[in-house]
Amino acid sequence: MIAGIELGGTKTVVAIGTAKGAILEQCRFPTEAPAETLAYAVDWLRERGTPASIGIGAFGPVGIVPGRENYGSILETTKAGWSRFSLIEPLSTAFPQCKLVLETDVNAAAFGEAKIGVAAGLDDVAYITIGTGIGAGILSGGRLTHGALHSEFGHLKVPRAPGDDFAGVCPFHQDCLEGLASGPAMAARWGRPAHELPNDHPAWEMEAWYLAHGILCLVAIVSPSRVIVGGGVSQAAGFHDRINQILGKIAAGYFPPVLVPHYVVPPALGQDAGISGALLLTAAGL
Amino acid sequence: MIAGIELGGTKTVVAIGTAKGAILEQCRFPTEAPAETLAYAVDWLRERGTPASIGIGAFGPVGIVPGRENYGSILETTKAGWSRFSLIEPLSTAFPQCKLVLETDVNAAAFGEAKIGVAAGLDDVAYITIGTGIGAGILSGGRLTHGALHSEFGHLKVPRAPGDDFAGVCPFHQDCLEGLASGPAMAARWGRPAHELPNDHPAWEMEAWYLAHGILCLVAIVSPSRVIVGGGVSQAAGFHDRINQILGKIAAGYFPPVLVPHYVVPPALGQDAGISGALLLTAAGL
């Protein structure tokens, strides 16, 4: 039995499926205290059998580089109770023979889209999610990118959109990309949540402006062949087209082998990108 | 015989040495027209023997991913005569049995510093050079990063330093990082070249401010364990300390497992980083 777990900040998904990313059965439930959340996933899996391997996509900061001291644990976080909680321990205790493969939630989603989604077959792919926060998963040369920690994409700084004097909502940096363009930033700036803003509201042009500048950083640093933008705050009609237009303008013809038409696209797997990616991770020789 | 070639925009270095990066003999000469430049390097090598392998670090844009159509060639460039010139062809014609390993000049320098320089033993390293342009080489998970093209780090956009209204000098983007902080930008902004600006000139605080914002993008995207800053415009005393101070301030405690004291450092190999890296590339299973 092949299993996947997508551990998000607010909801968790556990599934059984195939190592090719097909979901046979899945269950979504709220992310509660750490031990309870993992126990719930373990019980759900036990009722269905004994997994030979589990792919896990987890919110961060999380130690994802095998061999490092912090491997398998949530690192210091403001999310109550989760700091230094080991995700690997309860799973390997419950299923001692099971192979566990751990990644960030956004890396899992990038992997899903790069294997069976909108970027199928590409080796260089970035997946951005815009919701409560802004994160990015990166596949580079066919491998998921780690580094000393992992991408914390939302916390880089971009120029201010012309005329924008909103202070920003990031508790650490105020006006980093996440502080200016996450779901909470949209809600605070415009007085209502993103999903209530009509498609022709100026909010979307500004949102696309900030995302295009963040994506320009990705283009200039890891040079993806395609960038996928998903998450709750990416659903407005025409949003990806707006990003492509602004990105083309600010790139100013400089990246011709990289920037292609429809460079920024929505995910093909929708909200299943993360859990499908988690299933696919079980077959990856990472 | 092991050889290395560092092909820069203005100067070229050819060397013989060891696959561990030791330089036995080297020759520096101006980069002229493409055929002449490669012929000069070939002749110099021929006088010394027949190389079993050559590592090459080349200015970009250049096709560095084996198997792609553009592999081995300089891509469209404003540098007269170099567009679509194959670097591989004259070398494989001259030395048919020779193994050729091609990278960008900054990736070669990053590799050198990560193997035998200031970042020896680290798997996640970025090397930034500030000179005529601004470039970055990136080692991630022990492998040099490519992507659809390769890093064009200098062309991302960062916020404006407080009070700075200099237009920028990048012919494509005006005020990208390179447009605001390269050597020509320094010279245009302050009326004299960087090496004539005293260490206590406000130019250096602003220069460090821009570099810190560029490095924050690297931290947020590829999470290096160490960032090396070299190149002609990095020689002012205390410059790296200034960058570290500003980086610490704008990171605001958010990246504790990544940002360590003396995170940004000068190269240990000095101007030999690129050519030593080119020699080391001959032994890399890239």
Side-chain angles (χ1 to χ4, degrees):
Chain A
M1 188 172 94
I2 300 294
I5 298 175
E6 184 188 4
L7 181 71
T10 53
K11 65 157 179 54
T12 294
V13 187
V14 56
I16 54 174
T18 73
K20 291 188 172 173
I23 300 162
L24 298 176
E25 189 185 353
Q26 66 173 305
C27 170
R28 275 166 198 269
F29 57 97
T31 303
E32 308 281 5
E36 287 74 3
T37 302
L38 270 288
Y40 190 94
V42 164
D43 290 346
W44 188 89
L45 288 173
R46 269 207 184 113
E47 285 166 21
R48 279 147 189 89
T50 302
S53 51
I54 307 177
I56 307 136
F59 69 83
V62 55
I64 53 172
V65 182
R68 293 218 181 115
E69 192 207 351
N70 64 18
Y71 178 70
S73 291
I74 301 290
L75 308 185
E76 287 300 325
T77 174
T78 52
K79 198 170 157 60
W82 284 88
S83 292
R84 292 180 301 281
F85 179 79
S86 168
L87 306 174
I88 293 294
E89 204 176 280
L91 294 173
S92 60
T93 303
F95 307 114
Q97 308 300 322
C98 183
K99 172 189 170 192
L100 302 173
V101 183
L102 177 66
E103 279 292 346
T104 59
D105 47 2
V106 275
N107 264 0
F111 201 64
E113 292 290 342
K115 293 297 166 187
I116 59 168
V118 69
L122 297 178
D123 279 340
D124 299 285
V125 174
Y127 177 98
I128 297 172
T129 182
I130 323 170
T132 312
I134 295 181
I138 299 163
L139 189 81
S140 176
R143 295 202 317 182
L144 291 169
T145 300
H146 297 152
L149 176 61
H150 48 64
S151 173
E152 288 277 9
F153 178 66
H155 296 277
L156 55 75
K157 298 216 178 198
V158 292
R160 284 282 182 158
D164 182 27
D165 60 1
F166 176 64
V169 300
C170 173
F172 292 89
H173 312 116
Q174 279 211 306
D175 64 353
C176 60
L177 179 61
E178 183 168 302
L180 291 171
S182 64
M186 293 278 275
R189 187 200 297 275
W190 303 106
R192 48 192 163 141
H195 68 266
E196 288 182 13
L197 295 164
N199 288 345
D200 59 355
H201 192 284
W204 292 110
E205 190 69 12
M206 185 180 283
E207 184 72 1
W209 195 94
Y210 280 119
L211 263 290
H213 280 76
I215 291 169
L216 188 72
C217 292
L218 280 171
V219 171
I221 290 176
V222 288
S223 189
S225 296
R226 196 68 46 92
V227 173
I228 302 148
V229 176
V233 188
S234 68
Q235 313 289 331
F239 181 55
H240 296 80
D241 286 343
R242 281 183 200 268
I243 298 175
N244 280 313
Q245 276 164 25
I246 298 168
L247 184 59
K249 205 167 143 194
I250 62 177
Y254 189 74
F255 303 92
V258 181
L259 290 179
V260 294
H262 308 293
Y263 183 72
V264 178
V265 290
L269 306 177
Q271 64 174 0
D272 286 339
I275 192 68
S276 285
L279 289 165
L280 283 155
L281 284 171
T282 62
L286 294 171
Chain B
M1 187 172 94
I2 300 295
I5 298 174
E6 184 188 3
L7 181 71
T10 53
K11 65 157 180 51
T12 294
V13 187
V14 56
I16 55 173
T18 74
K20 291 187 172 175
I23 300 162
L24 299 175
E25 189 185 354
Q26 65 173 306
C27 169
R28 275 166 199 269
F29 57 97
T31 302
E32 307 281 4
E36 288 73 2
T37 302
L38 270 288
Y40 190 94
V42 163
D43 289 346
W44 188 89
L45 287 173
R46 268 207 184 110
E47 285 166 21
R48 281 149 188 87
T50 302
S53 51
I54 308 177
I56 308 137
F59 69 83
V62 54
I64 53 172
V65 181
R68 294 221 181 114
E69 192 208 353
N70 64 17
Y71 178 70
S73 290
I74 301 290
L75 308 186
E76 286 300 326
T77 174
T78 52
K79 198 169 158 61
W82 284 88
S83 293
R84 292 179 301 282
F85 179 78
S86 169
L87 306 174
I88 292 295
E89 203 175 281
L91 294 172
S92 60
T93 303
F95 307 115
Q97 308 300 322
C98 182
K99 172 190 171 192
L100 302 173
V101 184
L102 176 66
E103 279 292 346
T104 60
D105 47 2
V106 275
N107 264 359
F111 201 65
E113 292 290 344
K115 293 296 167 188
I116 60 168
V118 69
L122 297 178
D123 279 341
D124 300 284
V125 174
Y127 177 97
I128 298 171
T129 181
I130 323 170
T132 312
I134 295 182
I138 299 163
L139 190 80
S140 176
R143 295 201 317 182
L144 291 169
T145 299
H146 298 151
L149 176 62
H150 48 64
S151 174
E152 289 276 10
F153 178 67
H155 295 277
L156 57 74
K157 298 217 176 197
V158 293
R160 283 282 183 159
D164 181 29
D165 60 1
F166 176 65
V169 300
C170 174
F172 292 89
H173 311 116
Q174 280 211 306
D175 65 351
C176 60
L177 179 62
E178 183 168 304
L180 291 171
S182 64
M186 293 277 276
R189 187 199 298 274
W190 303 106
R192 47 190 164 144
H195 69 264
E196 289 182 13
L197 295 164
N199 288 344
D200 59 355
H201 193 285
W204 292 109
E205 189 70 12
M206 186 180 283
E207 184 72 1
W209 195 94
Y210 280 119
L211 262 290
H213 281 75
I215 291 169
L216 189 71
C217 292
L218 281 171
V219 171
I221 289 177
V222 288
S223 189
S225 296
R226 197 68 45 91
V227 173
I228 302 148
V229 177
V233 189
S234 67
Q235 313 289 330
F239 181 54
H240 296 80
D241 287 342
R242 281 184 200 268
I243 298 176
N244 279 313
Q245 276 164 24
I246 298 168
L247 184 60
K249 205 166 141 194
I250 62 175
Y254 189 75
F255 303 93
V258 181
L259 291 180
V260 294
H262 307 292
Y263 182 73
V264 178
V265 291
L269 306 176
Q271 65 174 2
D272 286 339
I275 192 66
S276 285
L279 289 164
L280 283 155
L281 284 172
T282 62
L286 292 172

